[in-house]
Amino acid sequence: MRNLKCVSRLVATCLDELPLTGTAWDSDTDSLLCTYGPTEELAVIELRRFEGVGSEISESGLPLKDSSVLLASWDAPCPLPDLKCDHILSFQYFPDNRSACLVLEGGDLVVVREEPQLGEEQIEIVGSVDAGLTAAAWSPDGELLTITTRANTLLYMTRTFDNVNDISFNSDDLKISKHVSVGWGKSETQFKGKRAHALRDPTMPEKVDAGVLSELDSGKTTISWRGDGAYVAMNSIESGTRRVIRVYSRDGVLDSVSEPVDGLDSALSWRPAGNIIAGIQRLENRIDVVFFERNGLRHGQFTLRINKEDVKMFTSKIELQWNADSTVLAVCFLDSVQLWTMGNYHYYLKGEVMLQSGLVGGPDIRWHPEKPLHFTINSGDILQRLEYIFDICRGPIYPPHDTGSIAVIDGQTVKFSPLRLANVPPPMALHELEVSANSLDVAFNQDGTKLVVLHHSSLSIYGINYDAKPIPAPVLHRSVELTSSSSKIHNQQVCVLEDELIYVLQSHSEGQNILEISPGATEAKTIYTIPLTDRISRICPDNSFKRAFCLKQQANGSVTNWMDIKLAGQPISEASMLAQNPETPWVELVENPGHTYAFGLSANGALYYRGTPIVKGVTSFLATSSHLIFTTSQHLVKFVHLSKTESPQGESSLEQDLEIPPDAPETDERCRSIERGARLVTVMPSSFALVFQMPRGNLETIYPRALVLPGIRESIIAKDYRKAFLACRNHRVDMNLLYDYAPEQFLFHTVLFVNQLKKVEHIDLFLSHLKEEDVSQTLYKETLPSRRHDPNGIVKQSNGESKLSPPSTKLETPKSKVNTICDAIIEVLKTRLNTNLQNVITAHVCKSPPDYDSGLLLVKKLGTESTALATKAIEHICFLVDVNRLYDNALGLYDLELALLVAQQSQKDPKEYMPFLQNLEAQPLLRRKFSIDDHLGRHTKALEHLHSLDVFNEFSAYVEKHTLYSFGLSLLRYQQEKFNKIMQQYADHLYTNSKFKEAGIAYESLSLYQKATDSYRQSLDWSACLTTASLISLPETALTNLATTLAATLAESHDYLSAAEIHLTHLHDIPAAARLYCKATHFSHAARLLSLHDPTLLPQILDPGLTSALASTIDMLAEMKSQLHAQVPRIHELRIKKATDPLAFFEGTALAGEGPDNNIPDNISLASTNATSAMNPTLMTRYTGHATNSTLHTNTTRRSSKSRRREERKRARGKKGSVYEEEYLVSSVRRLVERVNGVLEEVERLVEGLVRRAMWERARNLEGLVTEVCGLCGWAVGEVWPEEEVGIGEKGGVERGEGMGMGIENPRPAGADGVVWDSLEEMRGPGKAPVVGTFKKFDLL
């Protein structure tokens, strides 16, 4: 879809006595070196350097010879008597050592040094071949020179001109290749029926070429290298009978020979990409460019488009040259140079440069080695330096004229396709417009109804009618002559404004002209002449087609200014300059109200805005009135809003004008991934379409969210809900956006919304997609800065007015969003049941939770009014809802007729539901309601109905059956006798279920003290137990036995304080109570009790109690110390292993050089098969591999509940070396710290008791030990829970999101994998660190 557009043409005329015979590029300085001579009259060669062709031109248009630098000049007599004068076969410049090498036909190899070193000559003949030379070519890296001699030999020479290969040609070379053609899509390989296919071998062509020479064959030998320098091709005549293309390797080994081709010419050019070799085949009535593979076989061709009368006149000599990046093939004739490109296996004639006719030697083209579309043409006395760019001729891209019109140049054919109306893939087109001459440039007008085609000497204006269906071919309206067809004047570009005002850019030897063609005019007038000191590289209209601009540069490209063409005749003021950019061949101008955007793309991929680079790595771009769209080398397409926002000071900045989105296609609608190498063709904002062309040439149309969502938002703001709804439906956008973007507006205009949607199915579709999520804040966040940051919800329009935009806050209402919308639509449609009954039913069903009862009641109401509407309603609601569930809801309304109506819509057998319904109908109303609620499992309602029926026995049994004691008691709260019976049932139920304390309370409330005593005794509530026991008048012995039993049981459960209280209060056993106080570490209570009753027992009871408590405490603290010393270093070791070798940590595999696998022989493979890997994924692949996640989850056997329980047991054990060990150790340290905090108070009481009994040394040792343990706990907390906790993601590579290879969180897997997942999640952040308590030291110690 791309055309070649000429952006620079510089011409120099040579009238010296020595003709221009050769050119070479100096890629370091971008200058040109030229050779002059020799001639038959003057056997002298001059070597000159021109810094810029055309940059130094006299007033007469002739180059000043003094402007060039003469590098060298020497005599060059021809050593061969049969040559009138010598000729330059190869001219190569080497920038690294600033030297030039000339290979002459006479056999001399001459090196010219610009800066000769000491001992070197400036001009040196480094070698000579006595027999003479026929062709020469340097390898692309400049390290190898290949030469063919008149003695039919091929020489390989190094950069120092050492001969490394001397190869002779002979007829035996033709036997090296045994060609077997497979047809390559020719007609003889196509299927033509069974008989025709059986008659002949499709691999054998109908006609076998013999390699007959053409009458116009010049006998010349040509050499061409492949782009990587690995192979070289040589085209020569073998034995005077046929032409042969030999392919040699870099080492001089013959690789292949071409198959015989009749009429093969001397032209040869190997495509730098390396896939094909181009040559010329002359046939009777045409000339083809034919292609060969490296193996010598043919590989396609295309026909040159030349007139039959010009075949012999201007095509007697044809040369071929590929450019540096293999995109353009130059075909050189005597009078012109054609530029051909290929797309989708079709060759397009994209450009043509006319030369002076009557040249004998033909032109010489030299491509720039680094700039792909930069070349020079030497035609003897005229030297042209041209630069082209690839550009797409697209029609207007602004609504309502955004038809996606594209014009593609193909010689005398212009391929026209409006992609919005007819998306025709190239190389085909909707219409192929035949024009009078080869096209140079094309342009559309403002509405795309005019197509202007620029030729060498004229332009043609065609009209396009988009209203007719189908669209007819464009019709020629008129033609305008510009200049005479001459090589001195070259038409470059054309642009059209809205009033059909046409501007044409011309170049010539004295500068450039801008021509203006008024509407209806048949002649053009020159309105602006640009001298040679400046040059215009582009002319283009702005987005409104009201103004035309030109990109003006100095000849050296140093300053760039945008100029208004209409002001070109006046002195240029600074006010007319839009921007100053570096050289940017691709430009877009957008004039929005109050602001002008000027964008330019440089050849190195830098996108500029007002002279400032904003993005690098850009491959293509275009601009609409609302977006800047560009593709990047990272295979992304990005959208930048063109919204002018002013700063508080009234000045704008780059950040305010343009907000470049990040490379986040997963989260940002302004960024989207595209196919590798895709480039923008056009955009159609009206249909939200964006068209790309892939590298192979095919087109792809996408509808990016960045275009769709702004269009939907604009439609919502404009209250065009139908357009917004259709866009959501067509482009699969969540329809909640219709409400979420402007909720207040939606509720205020619900009637408008319903009226615009009209169709019942459209309203149903909207209702069925409702959900509580606010998609305007989640899925489709606003990206337009002016709306995103405006707190008042007011959007400024282009005319300065304001209107309401979506508010930033939503309605403060207790109702859910879904219910609010459904209620609003029901309110609107309740008077339109005849047409929108289906929508009302859908709105009831779509509520959250679904309001099935309201829908069924509506059906019941309609049944009394219209049977047809009721039937329609019941059919629709049964379609939306599971009919079994709906049947239950109908029963819940206690309407048997409605239930029967629903049941008839189901697949149930009437034998199933008819007896049930008939039984219900025979029952009284309350009994029927009870039966229905009991059937539906609504037990509380059923119990209410039993209470109303006053059937207590059945009520009691129902309460017990369904455990409805609390609800039953609430129903009987005013009927004390029945209440007590249910309460006793409840107490028995609690006792049976081991809820002894609650059962005791219930029994005590019913004055059932014996049962209450038993319940309290079981719950160890000794106080309540002894209280109720005293109320039943137990004997003193029985009460004492009960107290003794309770005390023993409490002591066994380590509730020493309660046991001591029983011994003290009820059993009056002072020594036993004191001993229990000592076990509870309440030594002060024990001392007080003994001192009151028998002080002599203090040494006998208190001292042994202190000693026993001290021993157990010391053992406990010592165990804690050893546990910390063992577990904390192990945690540190595991974390280091996890960070350095996560695979070994998660899989438990042996490290390199360790473990039992070290002795496995080398010839044994330990790699698992694909099946094994799929069925048994590793822990690393299980949680870091997203692509195979679903497959692993499908195939894994760990999903069963049995394996999950087994994995949970492994996790609980935390076996050493397993993946759960770290989690187990961390939990163990946490529990230990909490345990230390729990015993600090007991230790403090123990130290106090030891001091009071004068056990100073023991107290001091215990205090030191507990202080040491507290310090160790503080150290352990710092090691296990550092201040900035780093999860597994950074240590082990399994962090959620980034570590797992995804931009979103992974779902938790099922089965045993879920257990591992929980463990890893626990270790990602081991929780808040425990706080180590403070031990209060005793001051006396």
Side-chain angles (χ1 to χ4, degrees), residues 36 149 159 204 272 298 398 413 495 518 526 585 700 724 764 784 803 829 935 973 997 1137 1228 1254 1321:
Y36 294 85
T149 70
R159 178 77 172 271
M204 296 299 296
R298 287 279 298 275
Y398 306 96
T413 302
C495 75
S518 303
T526 302
E700 287 191 10
D764 271 0
L784 189 63
K803 67 177 180 181
L829 297 180
H935 172 74
R973 59 185 177 274
K997 185 172 184 178
K1137 182 179 180 181
S1228 178
E1321 286 293 296

Side-chain angles (χ1 to χ4, degrees), residues 973-1087:
R973 59 185 177 274
Y974 300 118
Q975 302 176 32
Q976 191 63 40
E977 182 179 355
K978 296 179 180 179
F979 180 88
N980 290 341
K981 290 182 179 181
I982 299 299
M983 179 61 77
Q984 185 171 354
Q985 282 183 316
Y986 194 15
D988 294 340
H989 171 75
L990 292 173
Y991 189 88
T992 303
N993 288 278
S994 302
K995 296 182 179 180
F996 300 112
K997 185 172 184 178
E998 291 85 347
I1001 295 173
Y1003 284 131
E1004 187 177 1
S1005 68
L1006 296 174
S1007 300
L1008 301 175
Y1009 299 119
Q1010 182 62 51
K1011 291 187 176 181
T1013 301
D1014 293 340
S1015 299
Y1016 287 135
R1017 182 174 58 82
Q1018 292 288 345
S1019 66
L1020 297 181
D1021 189 350
W1022 63 272
S1023 178
C1025 179
L1026 293 175
T1027 300
T1028 55
S1030 63
L1031 294 176
I1032 57 178
S1033 302
L1034 284 178
E1036 188 67 26
T1037 305
L1039 193 61
T1040 302
N1041 292 337
L1042 177 62
T1044 303
T1045 302
L1046 285 173
T1049 304
L1050 290 172
E1052 289 178 2
S1053 61
H1054 302 288
D1055 189 0
Y1056 299 115
L1057 283 177
S1058 298
E1061 190 70 23
I1062 293 174
H1063 277 284
L1064 178 64
T1065 306
H1066 295 276
L1067 300 177
H1068 308 289
D1069 188 349
I1070 303 304
R1075 290 187 182 92
L1076 289 171
Y1077 276 128
C1078 289
K1079 288 185 178 181
T1081 67
H1082 285 270
F1083 302 104
S1084 59
H1085 292 348

Side-chain angles (χ1 to χ4, degrees), residues 682-695:
T682 188
V683 61
M684 293 162 276
S686 295
S687 58
F688 317 124
L690 193 62
V691 182
F692 294 92
Q693 186 170 29
M694 303 301 114

Side-chain angles (χ1 to χ4, degrees), residues 546-566:
K546 294 181 179 179
R547 303 172 64 189
F549 295 89
C550 59
L551 187 61
K552 184 177 180 181
Q553 296 176 301
Q554 292 185 2
N556 57 8
S558 58
V559 178
T560 303
N561 293 329
W562 278 104
M563 319 296 291
D564 192 330
I565 293 180
K566 291 184 178 180

